[in-house]
Amino acid sequence: MEDGLPITLAPTSSTCPRCHALHNARFYGPCEQCRSQLKETMGATARHIEVAEYVPKMNVTPNAVATKDD
Ligand SMILES: [Zn+2]
């Protein structure tokens, strides 16, 4: 696949997109420190979403095709 994106599978130095610190990572991404921080943040967010109740929309508007008079 030639999509123009250089993919390096070997462990290499990459820059953390979050704190811009050089770290050794197999793939481009946040460093270990940021990753654990993100994990905490996302974990909290996921829990919040889980708790948030999904309220189904009751006033569903019929689509134009269904109401069109032929
Ligand atoms: Zn980082």
Side-chain angles (χ1 to χ4, degrees):
M1 293 199 300
E2 298 259 351
D3 56 1
L5 286 171
I7 295 164
T8 316
L9 291 175
T12 179
S13 294
S14 47
T15 314
C16 172
R18 199 160 173 266
C19 68
H20 302 286
L22 271 174
H23 65 103
N24 283 328
R26 197 173 165 87
F27 300 104
Y28 175 79
C31 65
E32 279 297 325
Q33 207 184 328
C34 285
R35 230 187 292 183
S36 56
Q37 278 178 25
L38 285 167
K39 215 168 157 185
E40 283 176 35
T41 314
M42 287 179 173
T45 309
R47 272 196 296 276
H48 180 72
I49 291 167
E50 216 172 292
V51 168
E53 204 180 319
Y54 172 71
V55 182
K57 211 175 177 183
M58 297 307 276
N59 57 333
V60 182
T61 49
N63 64 50
V65 177
T67 53
K68 192 189 272 181
D69 285 324
D70 278 322

